Amino acid sequence: MKPLHPELERRRRESLYRHRRVSSAQPGVEQQIDGESMLLFCSNDYLGLATHPEVVDAMARGAARFGAGSGSAHLVCGHSEAHHLLEQELAEFVGRPRALLFSTGYMANLGAVTALLGRGDCVYQDRLNHASLIDAGLLSRARLKRYPHNDSAALERLLATHAQGEALVVSDGVFSMDGDLAPLPEMARLCRRHDAWLMVDDAHGFGVLGEKGSGTLELLGVEARDVPVLVCTLGKALGTFGAFVAGSEALIETLIQRARSYIYTTALPPAVAAATRVSLRLARDESWRRHRLAQLIAQFREEAARLGLPLLESDTPIQPIVAGSAERALDWSRRLQQQGVLVSAIRPPTVPEGSARLRITLSAAHSEEHLARLLQALASLSLEAPR
Ligand SMILES: *Cc1c(COP(=O)(O)O)cnc(C)c1O
């Protein structure tokens, strides 16, 4: 092994070094970060449920009842009643026969793709898909074919050359670093025509989009049968932790038999499942949280446009402002931080070279006053053309 320092030094020089901030006490949109009081616009807790007293209380009661951990994998003896009921409720919410809990979204994606594909098959992926989907494709040993972002014509050309083996098209529903939506109705049509399956990772749409909050498919009017594999995470809008795959009886039974990231890992703590049952009910029934969020998004976009900020096409809570170089994105993020506003700089390789950005995320937990503070801080950055 060669020494590790030179590579770390290079990252530092190129503004690509990543470090962690330590948050303490007081959860929510106003936190103590590295000892300073900060207003956060970088969390994925879109509905403000992570700190909801009923959710927190359900986790505490769940721990008292089931213990702090599950004790084993689901297939050994770790599958509790709390997990089981949550799976049924999630399946019903997204309108599918079954759902299967995974410990994280990363593992759900690895499990689903590797259970469905192998050598000789083909997986088609948007270039901006989440890292966990790309990794899932690589791990499956299927051929990985990537198409330019949201380019259905390019996808169709690739599908037209598909010769043998299974074909699985995989996409984010809401793109995690851009906030835009995949053209799912068009993709579903291509998949039907070319006998491919469509798998959607709706980590950022679930709970947020559609009148019911069931996600991007609901918003775009896509039928469950057109997306046989749906993956959603619980650590974002639902404010807890974990993920699930939803689909047919046969799909879920196949995953139970074959998905290694399901079989060979400890089940989520049942208390987390108990808390998630409560946050699912709140997300479903309290549609005012989605309306409030939509209103904040519209207000942010209107006022940011007035300030001349270079917004991307996004109507979701993810509102990036592209800086260009990693150095510039980091500089913007630091200057916002000096004003008590925390927005993370997203740099390569998370986003393509030359498209480093501030990734602003809005939450139903933000107030008008919070939004005003964000806009005031953004106005103080002099935003010349990206370099
Ligand atoms: C966050 C995210 C994941 C990973 O989910 P975790 O539960 O955090 O592991 C997967 N896909 C997308 C699109 C995400 O944004």
Side-chain angles (χ1 to χ4, degrees):
M1 287 286 290
K2 59 184 181 340
L4 301 174
H5 293 103
E7 168 61 11
L8 289 174
E9 272 315 311
R10 181 191 67 81
R11 283 179 180 252
R12 228 186 272 280
R13 267 198 319 275
E14 296 178 4
S15 300
L16 297 175
Y17 206 84
R18 299 165 188 251
H19 74 279
R20 302 166 307 164
R21 300 183 181 88
V22 181
S23 65
S24 58
Q26 194 186 344
V29 295
E30 290 181 282
Q31 290 193 8
Q32 292 289 320
I33 305 273
D34 287 345
E36 296 204 33
S37 178
M38 286 284 163
L39 176 58
L40 271 64
F41 286 94
C42 47
S43 149
N44 300 315
D45 178 24
Y46 300 125
L47 301 178
L49 292 175
T51 52
H52 194 290
E54 284 182 51
V55 177
V56 173
D57 186 53
M59 192 171 302
R61 280 184 293 114
R65 175 159 172 218
F66 296 102
S70 64
S72 82
H74 285 276
L75 289 172
V76 181
C77 56
H79 186 64
S80 76
E81 180 187 270
H83 294 122
H84 207 68
L85 291 169
L86 175 60
E87 287 182 345
Q88 289 169 357
E89 290 158 3
L90 289 167
E92 189 187 337
F93 183 59
V94 296
R96 312 257 168 170
R98 293 275 303 269
L100 187 71
L101 283 173
F102 281 76
S103 295
T104 69
Y106 198 113
M107 294 164 79
N109 284 334
L110 289 190
V113 175
T114 57
L116 294 172
L117 301 180
R119 234 184 270 283
D121 298 326
C122 219
V123 60
Y124 299 87
Q125 301 219 26
D126 189 293
R127 277 206 176 279
L128 298 190
N129 273 356
H130 192 261
S132 57
L133 293 171
I134 304 297
D135 293 356
L138 293 171
L139 190 61
S140 74
R141 297 187 176 88
R143 284 191 67 186
L144 176 58
K145 297 194 179 179
R146 300 173 78 178
Y147 54 89
H149 180 49
N150 277 349
D151 187 341
S152 300
L155 172 60
E156 170 137 54
R157 283 193 297 275
L158 287 178
L159 286 171
T161 65
H162 184 79
Q164 58 200 22
E166 304 296 338
L168 180 69
V169 176
V170 177
S171 179
D172 283 21
V174 175
F175 286 86
S176 54
M177 297 301 138
D178 291 65
D180 57 344
L181 309 181
L184 296 181
E186 174 66 7
M187 293 170 75
R189 201 177 56 77
L190 295 180
C191 288
R192 273 198 304 273
R193 182 185 300 162
H194 294 279
D195 195 25
W197 275 23
L198 180 55
M199 165 172 161
V200 172
D201 171 353
D202 208 18
H204 298 275
F206 181 66
V208 173
L209 300 181
E211 186 52 35
K212 279 181 19 203
S214 77
T216 309
L217 277 66
E218 182 196 345
L219 181 72
L220 298 179
V222 176
E223 301 287 338
R225 64 165 184 273
D226 283 330
V227 180
V229 190
L230 176 66
V231 179
C232 300
T233 63
L234 307 172
K236 287 165 182 153
L238 261 55
T240 59
F241 189 75
F244 67 96
V245 178
S248 68
E249 183 73 28
L251 173 73
I252 299 307
E253 286 301 319
T254 299
L255 296 183
I256 293 173
Q257 312 309 314
R258 303 189 50 170
R260 294 165 65 87
S261 61
Y262 181 78
I263 301 168
Y264 299 107
T265 200
T266 301
L268 276 181
V272 172
T276 308
R277 292 183 65 203
V278 173
S279 67
L280 175 64
R281 173 174 57 73
L282 293 167
R284 189 188 59 207
D285 297 347
E286 299 191 352
S287 54
W288 62 265
R289 291 175 190 279
R290 276 183 288 285
H291 297 153
R292 158 113 199 105
L293 185 54
Q295 183 199 332
L296 277 171
I297 294 166
Q299 197 177 337
F300 170 78
R301 289 188 64 83
E302 196 183 309
E303 295 180 25
R306 196 174 304 140
L307 291 174
L309 301 180
L311 296 173
L312 295 187
E313 275 309 312
S314 160
D315 294 320
T316 67
I318 301 167
Q319 294 290 330
I321 299 185
V322 175
S325 71
E327 188 187 1
R328 194 157 187 249
L330 208 56
D331 176 54
W332 286 357
S333 172
R334 286 203 184 110
R335 282 156 63 195
L336 292 178
Q337 194 173 344
Q338 282 159 8
Q339 301 177 65
V341 172
L342 196 67
V343 176
S344 46
I346 306 289
R347 294 160 288 166
T350 307
V351 291
E353 203 64 53
S355 72
R357 64 198 64 187
L358 292 177
R359 177 176 179 269
I360 295 167
T361 53
L362 298 169
S363 163
H366 285 124
S367 67
E368 307 275 314
E369 194 246 312
H370 291 148
L371 190 60
R373 273 172 63 192
L374 169 68
L375 287 158
Q376 191 181 19
L378 286 170
S380 76
L381 303 174
S382 55
L383 303 174
E384 319 95 57
R387 62 174 145 83

